[in-house]
Structure formats: C-alpha cells, structure tokens
Amino acid sequence: IKVPDVTTLKEKIAAELAAVRDRSLAYTDIDDAVLVSQHSPLMSPLVWDLAHVGNYEELWVLREVGGITPLRPEIDDLYDAFTHTRGDRPSLPLLGPGEARSYIAGVRGRVLDVLDKIDLDDSDPLRARGFVFGLVVQHEHQHDETMLATLQLSRQPGLVREGDLPPRRSPNLGASPEVHIPGGIFTMGAGAAPWAYDNERPAHRLHLPGYWIDRFPVSNGAYAEFVAAGGYDDPRWWTPKGWEWVETKGVRAPLFWTRDGDAWWRTRFGREEPVPPDEPVQHVSWYEADAYARWAGRRLPTEAEWEKACGGRTYPWGDADPTLDQANLGHLAARPAPIGAFPQGASPYGVEQLIGDVWEWTDSWFGPYPGFRSFPYKEYSEVFFGQEHRVLRGGSWATHPSAVRSTFRNWDYPVRRQIFSGFRCARSED
Ligand code: AVJ
Ligand code: FE
C-alpha cells in the first residue's frame, strides 16, 4: 500500500492518479496477444479495460469539468459499458495496446492540467473536494481488480505479481467465533467521506434488532466440511434458483477448486496449490454462500448488519488509512491472508477482517437508501437497483484502499464467482 507523502489535496490527488496508473500499466505489461484475447465470455479483453478507464477519465474530467473538446469522440461508443456486452467486445475495432496506452497517456496529461487549474473549494459537487478525481481514481482501481479477475480466469502462470503478506500478528483465534451486536439505532451510509459514491448516500438512521455475526470470514477449511458433508447434493440448503444453478452447471465446489482424492487443490493465477484451510474461502457465488449458511444453521448478514458491525467509523479500526497490520488490501500478495491475521483491524465490537481479504456477500439486494439521488450519472448505481444484484461489502485483497470503506457497496449477480468473493455468517437473537 502506497502512502503518498503529501500535504495538499491536489498533491494527494496527483499521487493517487499516478499510483493507479502505475497499477493499470503493470497489469497490462504483458504480451499483446494476451491483452487482446478474450479469456472468458464473462470478461472484456484487458485492452478494453485499459482504454475504457482513459475514456471515462476523458468524459468526466476533461469534457464535463474541463470543458475540453473531445479528443477521440469516435471511440466513445466502443468504451461505453452499456453499448456492448463484455462478450461482444473482442469483435469491436478496439484501440490496440500501443494506441490504448498513448490515448490514456494523452488524456492523463490534460487531466493534470485541469487539476492544476481547478478550484477544489468550488461548491460545484463534481469539483468540491476533488470528487471527480475520486471518481476516476476509484473507477480505475475497480477496473484493475476486474483485470485481476480476468488474469485469474486466463489460468496463465507468471502474469500476476505474487507479493508477500505482512508478517502475521498473533491471531485472536481464542476469542469466541461469534460477536453479539446489541439492538439499537445506528447510522448507515456515508457522512463526511468526500469520495463516497451516490449509492452510499444519504446517511440515515436505522434500528436493528440485536444479532450475532461471525468474528471472521468463513475459511476454506470450514467450507470444505460443507462440501464433504454433501452440501452440493442436498436441495434443502439451496434456494430454488440456487439449486437450479447447481444442477444445470454441475457445480461441486468453489470456482478454481479441483479434487485429488480427499484433498482439494486450487488454481491460483495459473499455479496449482493445495487449498489452504486457514484462508477465507473465495470464488464462491451468492448461492453457495447462502447455502453454506443454511447448512450451518445460520444466515448471511444483511448489509445493514455488516455495516453496523464496523462500528460507525470510516474503517472498522477508525478513520485513519489502513496500515499493514490492519488489512490485506491493494494487492500486497495475490491472495487472502489467513483467518485471524489482523486483530489490529478489529471493529469496536471485535469483528475482524471486515475490510480486505475477500468481498463478503450479504443477504441484501442492491437498492437505494431512503432519499437516494443519482450522482453524477444514473448508470453508476441507479440502473442496477432492484432484485437482480446482491450486495457485497468490505473489499478484497485486490481492492485498493481508496476504493473501499465501511460504507462502500459493491454488487453482482448471485451466480458470479470469478470475483474475489467470500462471506461470513450471522444469526438473529433467539
Ligand atoms: C461496482 C464493481 C459492480 O465493475 O461493474 C466500473 C464498477 N462501474 N465501471 C463494475 C464500475 C463502472 C462496477 N462494480
Ligand atoms: Fe467502468
């Protein structure tokens, strides 16, 4: 995690812009053939993501805020995520890798000119406290995480930096596996956070009855018990749609797991390794998370329960940026950290590993908070509201610290599992 040594907001923004671009360029510093090919119909070719982040930056910073004439208006349609599906993108006349790099560099140069001139105290909501720069920085990091999912699906070894996890602290494994959160009112959603998305607002007060929530995410070892107990053979644990998914797709285990006798192996960025029992399970769908919870006599937390467990601060540990002993974020290593690795990242309630490691499925559909207003465009959040997407919380090992906080909401289809998704369980008070 890069902690830029900066004082002013403009310096901080410039450092964030530089860091995210370094990240995107590192992920795409690979053979052109790998960049332009489609590794899964679920994903864009990497070269699409690369030019798309530049086009998004052009639309929002250069045209909308800077009033600058479009650089390449003819490519807008190619990089509009709503015009072509991911599956169709390889057949489009996309910019090649070299062209994409020079296009995004050209945009970035002008963006730094806009940053230089802009008044960040302006009351215009795109300018105020640099919101538009937060928008493009978070957007690019989100696509970087998507690129990692694409690289994982490609199963090609050597494309992703392995890195090292921070040294392990003494884990708090002796503590009770569940934490009780008393009933009462809490404030859900983002208050002061300047770069929070529209879907995190407005902050609102909500009463929750008391409940219990797991101290840690569910581990591979615990999940393997569900598999061994015939979890995938028993429709009792699954919703009707989940069971239909299991049967039609023949799902038997998390994505990327393969069985070798009694042992489980997984493919991680093209390398085979035994499934480590003490890591949070990842690459499970909402259906699998929900079924495991029912098998375990529990349920998934609602997103309100998940957020309340963070204790009402920017992050569970407080308002300061994450440190290496609080959370596994920002691609330190290309994997989740073991259960219990971050006692210093605990919330005031004592709930751990809420931020980082794996995105956590919740029971909630992605919908608007009371009083929601779309900003700055309805295709970021609003068009996804309804009973199609489930909310995930907390970020994964692949999420950058600037693109996650206690109030941050991610969403996906309940079948999705190429994302770095896991879960923890909860239960109501008796
Ligand atoms: C919030 C991760 C679901 O990747 O579809 C990227 C983020 N929005 N470009 C996605 C996003 C526009 C979004 N998720
Ligand atoms: Fe996008």
Side-chain angles (χ1 to χ4, degrees):
I1 305 172
K2 252 190 197 161
V3 183
D5 177 23
V6 292
T7 46
T8 71
L9 180 55
K10 284 195 181 183
E11 285 174 336
K12 176 181 149 57
I13 290 168
E16 293 270 13
L17 286 166
V20 71
R21 184 53 48 84
D22 283 351
R23 185 182 185 194
S24 305
L25 293 176
Y27 290 175
T28 52
D29 186 15
I30 50 183
D31 281 357
D32 283 6
V34 178
L35 290 178
V36 302
S37 64
Q38 192 174 38
H39 303 282
S40 154
L42 297 175
M43 307 305 275
S44 314
L46 296 167
V47 74
W48 184 91
D49 289 279
L50 189 63
H52 166 78
V53 298
N55 185 241
Y56 189 90
E57 197 168 301
E58 187 191 347
L59 290 173
W60 287 102
V61 181
L62 298 191
R63 298 191 207 169
E64 196 65 30
V65 170
I68 293 168
T69 317
L71 303 181
R72 300 195 61 166
E74 77 286 0
I75 66 171
D76 287 353
D77 164 78
L78 300 174
Y79 297 105
D80 179 338
F82 289 87
T83 307
H84 308 281
T85 64
R86 285 177 172 181
D88 288 341
R89 289 173 192 163
S91 60
L92 302 173
L94 301 176
L95 301 185
E99 275 181 301
R101 287 188 197 100
S102 62
Y103 167 62
I104 68 171
V107 171
R108 177 54 64 84
R110 291 166 175 85
V111 164
L112 296 177
D113 293 340
V114 172
L115 176 62
D116 196 39
K117 294 194 194 94
I118 201 173
D119 175 8
L120 300 176
D121 297 323
D122 196 294
S123 63
D124 167 56
L126 278 176
R127 291 171 172 77
R129 296 189 288 170
F131 177 86
V132 76
F133 299 101
L135 185 70
V136 301
V137 164
Q138 290 180 88
H139 179 254
E140 188 162 342
H141 277 303
Q142 287 174 307
H143 277 275
D144 288 343
E145 181 162 349
T146 298
M147 287 196 232
L148 282 176
T150 304
L151 289 164
Q152 164 67 7
L153 278 168
S154 83
R155 296 170 184 260
Q156 297 183 61
L159 296 178
V160 168
R161 179 177 64 81
E162 286 287 333
D164 289 314
L165 288 169
R168 284 190 69 170
R169 316 286 142 171
S170 50
N172 192 13
L173 290 176
S176 67
E178 289 182 299
V179 174
H180 181 252
I181 314 276
I185 297 208
F186 88 109
T187 300
M188 185 176 192
W195 289 2
Y197 279 109
D198 58 359
N199 63 55
E200 297 166 68
R201 300 186 186 284
H204 55 287
R205 284 158 63 79
L206 197 67
H207 180 271
L208 291 183
Y211 60 100
W212 295 83
I213 191 165
D214 286 353
R215 188 179 300 276
F216 306 110
V218 170
S219 67
N220 285 321
Y223 196 85
E225 288 175 31
F226 167 64
V227 181
Y232 286 86
D233 301 313
D234 194 336
R236 272 185 304 164
W237 313 132
W238 302 79
T239 61
K241 282 187 176 161
W243 184 245
E244 189 188 319
W245 174 76
V246 166
E247 289 214 296
T248 55
K249 302 283 178 193
V251 178
R252 308 298 301 158
L255 188 59
F256 307 117
W257 283 29
T258 48
R259 190 194 280 281
D260 177 24
D262 281 344
W264 286 102
W265 286 66
R266 68 172 179 190
T267 309
R268 192 171 57 84
F269 297 107
R271 289 173 21 174
E272 296 293 323
E273 58 187 33
V275 170
D278 63 344
E279 269 181 27
V281 66
Q282 63 170 353
H283 298 301
V284 288
S285 69
W286 183 90
Y287 291 132
E288 289 167 295
D290 173 70
Y292 173 97
R294 199 167 291 109
W295 169 77
R298 324 278 298 293
R299 59 173 175 78
L300 295 177
T302 64
E303 60 168 326
E305 288 170 337
W306 189 96
E307 187 171 324
K308 184 174 180 179
C310 291
R313 297 102 69 96
T314 309
Y315 304 104
W317 54 84
D319 294 321
D321 288 347
T323 61
L324 292 175
D325 50 20
Q326 287 168 326
N328 175 25
L329 289 164
H331 192 168
L332 296 169
R335 62 194 306 152
I339 298 295
F342 300 105
Q344 299 185 57
S347 81
Y349 293 113
V351 185
E352 300 186 27
Q353 279 172 298
L354 287 157
I355 299 289
D357 294 307
V358 288
W359 285 102
E360 298 182 21
W361 287 111
T362 72
D363 190 53
S364 302
W365 297 109
F366 185 50
Y369 291 163
F372 168 83
R373 284 192 14 243
S374 193
F375 179 76
Y377 65 115
K378 69 178 187 343
E379 289 78 13
Y380 184 78
S381 310
E382 193 176 340
V383 299
F384 298 102
F385 290 157
Q387 306 218 330
E388 253 191 308
H389 301 89
R390 298 281 184 175
V391 173
L392 301 113
R393 291 300 199 105
S396 74
W397 59 266
T399 307
H400 189 268
S402 66
V404 73
R405 49 206 157 256
S406 301
T407 59
F408 190 97
R409 307 170 77 198
N410 191 6
W411 63 92
D412 219 318
Y413 292 112
V415 295
R416 282 289 182 264
R417 52 188 202 151
Q418 81 272 20
I419 55 175
F420 306 108
S421 50
F423 63 103
R424 75 180 69 217
C425 297
R427 65 187 167 95
S428 304
E429 278 178 358
D430 314 311

